[in-house]
Amino acid sequence: DQQVKQNSPSLSVQEGRISILNCDYTNSMFDYFLWYKKYPAEGPTFLISISSIKDKNEDGRFTVFLNKSAKHLSLHIVPSQPGDSAVYFCAASDTNAGKSTFGDGTTLTVKP
Amino acid sequence: DTEVTQTPKHLVMGMTNKKSLKCEQHMGHRAMYWYKQKAKKPPELMFVYSYEKLSINESVPSRFSPECPNSSLLNLHLHALQPEDSALYLCASSQVSFDKNTGELFFGEGSRLTVL
């Protein structure tokens, strides 16, 4: 039973356009959500997060939206840059249990 | 210093070998983690240490043995592994103890393990 799902294994966008990465979850105990970015041969790096009490969090070109009723979150990158090309993991945390569960990842390719 | 350092970066071992993976952080973080990641799969939690005590063991086989000598170091001792244990092993740390952690993890680059 996969509790965090990223249904799109890959996404390709043109430089300057918006990238939208999606993530769905099933466990209603999750109360904190994060996006990590991973380049080849490196560990994941934290990108942006959102608490379940919010529906939007913005940090520069990155915005995360949370729809609790739909158990869905998305990461918007605008404008997209070639350096954004990486694997993006969605993660959901049950802060009481202290565990993060990761999605399968979406490979984003931003074309110049 | 905002790094989590893992050694070795690559390790090849036979099924009868004993080896160790090492992880170090100097950010004053109180929780440290071992994750296993297979190709094209998400990281899977193996162990969590909080204040140098083992807090979570996700039913990991005993051929994997974690050790936390102090708050900055985390080891993973490997013995009698199987070829299916070949994977990227990621160490991570977080600022507060695992049960207060909002989830932000700082990952190392990983140790790529191949079991022959």
mmCIF file of all heavy atoms in Angstrom, chain A residues 1-25:
data_model
loop_
_atom_site.group_PDB
_atom_site.id
_atom_site.type_symbol
_atom_site.label_atom_id
_atom_site.label_comp_id
_atom_site.label_asym_id
_atom_site.label_seq_id
_atom_site.Cartn_x
_atom_site.Cartn_y
_atom_site.Cartn_z
ATOM 1 N N ASP A 1 0.846 -1.190 0.000
ATOM 2 C CA ASP A 1 0.000 0.000 0.000
ATOM 3 C C ASP A 1 0.886 1.246 0.000
ATOM 4 O O ASP A 1 1.497 1.577 1.009
ATOM 5 C CB ASP A 1 -0.907 0.001 1.235
ATOM 6 C CG ASP A 1 -1.745 1.280 1.308
ATOM 7 O OD1 ASP A 1 -2.026 1.836 0.240
ATOM 8 O OD2 ASP A 1 -2.085 1.698 2.420
ATOM 9 N N GLN A 2 0.955 1.916 -1.151
ATOM 10 C CA GLN A 2 1.822 3.072 -1.270
ATOM 11 C C GLN A 2 1.059 4.299 -0.794
ATOM 12 O O GLN A 2 0.029 4.656 -1.386
ATOM 13 C CB GLN A 2 2.286 3.239 -2.712
ATOM 14 C CG GLN A 2 3.418 4.207 -2.856
ATOM 15 C CD GLN A 2 4.087 4.099 -4.206
ATOM 16 O OE1 GLN A 2 3.729 3.263 -5.029
ATOM 17 N NE2 GLN A 2 5.064 4.948 -4.466
ATOM 18 N N GLN A 3 1.529 4.933 0.247
ATOM 19 C CA GLN A 3 0.789 6.023 0.859
ATOM 20 C C GLN A 3 1.041 7.366 0.192
ATOM 21 O O GLN A 3 0.262 8.300 0.391
ATOM 22 C CB GLN A 3 1.155 6.114 2.338
ATOM 23 C CG GLN A 3 0.807 4.870 3.131
ATOM 24 C CD GLN A 3 1.071 5.060 4.594
ATOM 25 O OE1 GLN A 3 0.584 5.998 5.213
ATOM 26 N NE2 GLN A 3 1.887 4.191 5.158
ATOM 27 N N VAL A 4 2.144 7.466 -0.531
ATOM 28 C CA VAL A 4 2.469 8.709 -1.234
ATOM 29 C C VAL A 4 2.753 8.342 -2.691
ATOM 30 O O VAL A 4 3.628 7.519 -2.956
ATOM 31 C CB VAL A 4 3.691 9.410 -0.607
ATOM 32 C CG1 VAL A 4 4.017 10.691 -1.360
ATOM 33 C CG2 VAL A 4 3.438 9.709 0.865
ATOM 34 N N LYS A 5 2.016 8.950 -3.593
ATOM 35 C CA LYS A 5 2.154 8.581 -5.009
ATOM 36 C C LYS A 5 2.439 9.796 -5.874
ATOM 37 O O LYS A 5 1.788 10.838 -5.728
ATOM 38 C CB LYS A 5 0.873 7.912 -5.515
ATOM 39 C CG LYS A 5 0.616 6.538 -4.939
ATOM 40 C CD LYS A 5 -0.613 5.914 -5.572
ATOM 41 C CE LYS A 5 -0.885 4.545 -4.983
ATOM 42 N NZ LYS A 5 -2.095 3.913 -5.563
ATOM 43 N N GLN A 6 3.399 9.626 -6.751
ATOM 44 C CA GLN A 6 3.650 10.611 -7.787
ATOM 45 C C GLN A 6 3.390 9.892 -9.099
ATOM 46 O O GLN A 6 4.182 9.063 -9.527
ATOM 47 C CB GLN A 6 5.086 11.132 -7.712
ATOM 48 C CG GLN A 6 5.358 11.931 -6.450
ATOM 49 C CD GLN A 6 6.811 12.335 -6.327
ATOM 50 O OE1 GLN A 6 7.567 11.783 -5.532
ATOM 51 N NE2 GLN A 6 7.216 13.323 -7.104
ATOM 52 N N ASN A 7 2.274 10.165 -9.715
ATOM 53 C CA ASN A 7 1.811 9.361 -10.834
ATOM 54 C C ASN A 7 2.537 9.636 -12.142
ATOM 55 O O ASN A 7 2.436 8.833 -13.079
ATOM 56 C CB ASN A 7 0.304 9.547 -11.013
ATOM 57 C CG ASN A 7 -0.465 8.909 -9.875
ATOM 58 O OD1 ASN A 7 -0.121 7.832 -9.401
ATOM 59 N ND2 ASN A 7 -1.498 9.587 -9.405
ATOM 60 N N SER A 8 3.251 10.758 -12.204
ATOM 61 C CA SER A 8 3.989 11.058 -13.424
ATOM 62 C C SER A 8 5.466 10.759 -13.207
ATOM 63 O O SER A 8 6.134 11.496 -12.489
ATOM 64 C CB SER A 8 3.813 12.528 -13.818
ATOM 65 O OG SER A 8 2.480 12.816 -14.103
ATOM 66 N N PRO A 9 5.996 9.718 -13.850
ATOM 67 C CA PRO A 9 7.415 9.410 -13.674
ATOM 68 C C PRO A 9 8.323 10.478 -14.269
ATOM 69 O O PRO A 9 9.450 10.664 -13.798
ATOM 70 C CB PRO A 9 7.610 8.088 -14.422
ATOM 71 C CG PRO A 9 6.247 7.562 -14.643
ATOM 72 C CD PRO A 9 5.311 8.729 -14.666
ATOM 73 N N SER A 10 7.812 11.181 -15.273
ATOM 74 C CA SER A 10 8.662 12.182 -15.914
ATOM 75 C C SER A 10 7.823 13.347 -16.423
ATOM 76 O O SER A 10 6.616 13.213 -16.671
ATOM 77 C CB SER A 10 9.451 11.558 -17.065
ATOM 78 O OG SER A 10 8.578 11.074 -18.047
ATOM 79 N N LEU A 11 8.505 14.487 -16.573
ATOM 80 C CA LEU A 11 7.869 15.710 -17.061
ATOM 81 C C LEU A 11 8.917 16.498 -17.822
ATOM 82 O O LEU A 11 10.042 16.666 -17.352
ATOM 83 C CB LEU A 11 7.342 16.533 -15.886
ATOM 84 C CG LEU A 11 6.755 17.904 -16.193
ATOM 85 C CD1 LEU A 11 5.460 17.748 -16.984
ATOM 86 C CD2 LEU A 11 6.491 18.684 -14.902
ATOM 87 N N SER A 12 8.543 16.982 -18.991
ATOM 88 C CA SER A 12 9.456 17.783 -19.796
ATOM 89 C C SER A 12 8.802 19.119 -20.097
ATOM 90 O O SER A 12 7.654 19.156 -20.558
ATOM 91 C CB SER A 12 9.785 17.042 -21.105
ATOM 92 O OG SER A 12 10.690 17.804 -21.880
ATOM 93 N N VAL A 13 9.505 20.214 -19.816
ATOM 94 C CA VAL A 13 8.962 21.551 -20.075
ATOM 95 C C VAL A 13 10.034 22.412 -20.732
ATOM 96 O O VAL A 13 11.238 22.120 -20.640
ATOM 97 C CB VAL A 13 8.459 22.242 -18.783
ATOM 98 C CG1 VAL A 13 7.356 21.447 -18.131
ATOM 99 C CG2 VAL A 13 9.597 22.491 -17.830
ATOM 100 N N GLN A 14 9.591 23.475 -21.358
ATOM 101 C CA GLN A 14 10.492 24.410 -22.005
ATOM 102 C C GLN A 14 10.958 25.437 -20.973
ATOM 103 O O GLN A 14 10.194 25.829 -20.071
ATOM 104 C CB GLN A 14 9.751 25.118 -23.150
ATOM 105 C CG GLN A 14 10.627 25.613 -24.265
ATOM 106 C CD GLN A 14 11.307 24.508 -25.042
ATOM 107 O OE1 GLN A 14 10.737 23.444 -25.279
ATOM 108 N NE2 GLN A 14 12.544 24.751 -25.430
ATOM 109 N N GLU A 15 12.200 25.842 -21.118
ATOM 110 C CA GLU A 15 12.755 26.882 -20.249
ATOM 111 C C GLU A 15 11.837 28.108 -20.261
ATOM 112 O O GLU A 15 11.337 28.524 -21.300
ATOM 113 C CB GLU A 15 14.153 27.276 -20.728
ATOM 114 C CG GLU A 15 14.826 28.337 -19.882
ATOM 115 C CD GLU A 15 16.227 28.674 -20.379
ATOM 116 O OE1 GLU A 15 16.619 28.174 -21.457
ATOM 117 O OE2 GLU A 15 16.922 29.442 -19.680
ATOM 118 N N GLY A 16 11.602 28.658 -19.063
ATOM 119 C CA GLY A 16 10.770 29.848 -18.937
ATOM 120 C C GLY A 16 9.300 29.546 -18.670
ATOM 121 O O GLY A 16 8.563 30.414 -18.190
ATOM 122 N N ARG A 17 8.893 28.303 -18.956
ATOM 123 C CA ARG A 17 7.500 27.926 -18.730
ATOM 124 C C ARG A 17 7.323 27.433 -17.306
ATOM 125 O O ARG A 17 8.278 27.283 -16.544
ATOM 126 C CB ARG A 17 7.084 26.837 -19.716
ATOM 127 C CG ARG A 17 7.157 27.254 -21.170
ATOM 128 C CD ARG A 17 6.051 28.223 -21.540
ATOM 129 N NE ARG A 17 6.048 28.580 -22.948
ATOM 130 C CZ ARG A 17 5.317 27.991 -23.869
ATOM 131 N NH1 ARG A 17 4.521 26.979 -23.557
ATOM 132 N NH2 ARG A 17 5.369 28.391 -25.121
ATOM 133 N N ILE A 18 6.078 27.134 -16.954
ATOM 134 C CA ILE A 18 5.798 26.619 -15.617
ATOM 135 C C ILE A 18 5.926 25.093 -15.597
ATOM 136 O O ILE A 18 5.531 24.410 -16.533
ATOM 137 C CB ILE A 18 4.382 27.053 -15.144
ATOM 138 C CG1 ILE A 18 4.137 26.616 -13.700
ATOM 139 C CG2 ILE A 18 3.314 26.491 -16.062
ATOM 140 C CD1 ILE A 18 2.864 27.205 -13.104
ATOM 141 N N SER A 19 6.519 24.573 -14.522
ATOM 142 C CA SER A 19 6.542 23.127 -14.268
ATOM 143 C C SER A 19 5.595 22.855 -13.113
ATOM 144 O O SER A 19 5.647 23.551 -12.080
ATOM 145 C CB SER A 19 7.946 22.655 -13.868
ATOM 146 O OG SER A 19 8.875 22.853 -14.902
ATOM 147 N N ILE A 20 4.744 21.869 -13.284
ATOM 148 C CA ILE A 20 3.813 21.487 -12.213
ATOM 149 C C ILE A 20 4.007 20.006 -11.923
ATOM 150 O O ILE A 20 3.780 19.156 -12.795
ATOM 151 C CB ILE A 20 2.354 21.768 -12.607
ATOM 152 C CG1 ILE A 20 2.158 23.261 -12.896
ATOM 153 C CG2 ILE A 20 1.413 21.317 -11.462
ATOM 154 C CD1 ILE A 20 0.757 23.614 -13.365
ATOM 155 N N LEU A 21 4.443 19.729 -10.712
ATOM 156 C CA LEU A 21 4.640 18.342 -10.282
ATOM 157 C C LEU A 21 3.574 18.006 -9.246
ATOM 158 O O LEU A 21 3.323 18.798 -8.341
ATOM 159 C CB LEU A 21 6.038 18.149 -9.700
ATOM 160 C CG LEU A 21 7.192 18.359 -10.681
ATOM 161 C CD1 LEU A 21 7.714 19.783 -10.617
ATOM 162 C CD2 LEU A 21 8.315 17.374 -10.414
ATOM 163 N N ASN A 22 2.981 16.838 -9.394
ATOM 164 C CA ASN A 22 1.853 16.470 -8.551
ATOM 165 C C ASN A 22 2.161 15.299 -7.628
ATOM 166 O O ASN A 22 3.023 14.461 -7.923
ATOM 167 C CB ASN A 22 0.654 16.105 -9.431
ATOM 168 C CG ASN A 22 0.123 17.298 -10.191
ATOM 169 O OD1 ASN A 22 -0.223 18.308 -9.602
ATOM 170 N ND2 ASN A 22 0.082 17.189 -11.515
ATOM 171 N N CYS A 23 1.417 15.261 -6.535
ATOM 172 C CA CYS A 23 1.628 14.231 -5.520
ATOM 173 C C CYS A 23 0.305 13.970 -4.811
ATOM 174 O O CYS A 23 -0.420 14.922 -4.483
ATOM 175 C CB CYS A 23 2.684 14.723 -4.533
ATOM 176 S SG CYS A 23 3.052 13.607 -3.170
ATOM 177 N N ASP A 24 -0.044 12.712 -4.628
ATOM 178 C CA ASP A 24 -1.250 12.335 -3.903
ATOM 179 C C ASP A 24 -0.878 11.469 -2.702
ATOM 180 O O ASP A 24 0.080 10.705 -2.760
ATOM 181 C CB ASP A 24 -2.194 11.554 -4.821
ATOM 182 C CG ASP A 24 -2.674 12.393 -5.981
ATOM 183 O OD1 ASP A 24 -3.397 13.367 -5.741
ATOM 184 O OD2 ASP A 24 -2.303 12.073 -7.129
ATOM 185 N N TYR A 25 -1.659 11.574 -1.647
ATOM 186 C CA TYR A 25 -1.378 10.767 -0.467
ATOM 187 C C TYR A 25 -2.690 10.185 0.057
ATOM 188 O O TYR A 25 -3.783 10.665 -0.265
ATOM 189 C CB TYR A 25 -0.659 11.583 0.615
ATOM 190 C CG TYR A 25 -1.446 12.752 1.169
ATOM 191 C CD1 TYR A 25 -2.198 12.629 2.335
ATOM 192 C CD2 TYR A 25 -1.430 13.992 0.525
ATOM 193 C CE1 TYR A 25 -2.903 13.689 2.852
ATOM 194 C CE2 TYR A 25 -2.137 15.062 1.032
ATOM 195 C CZ TYR A 25 -2.877 14.911 2.193
ATOM 196 O OH TYR A 25 -3.595 15.978 2.704
#
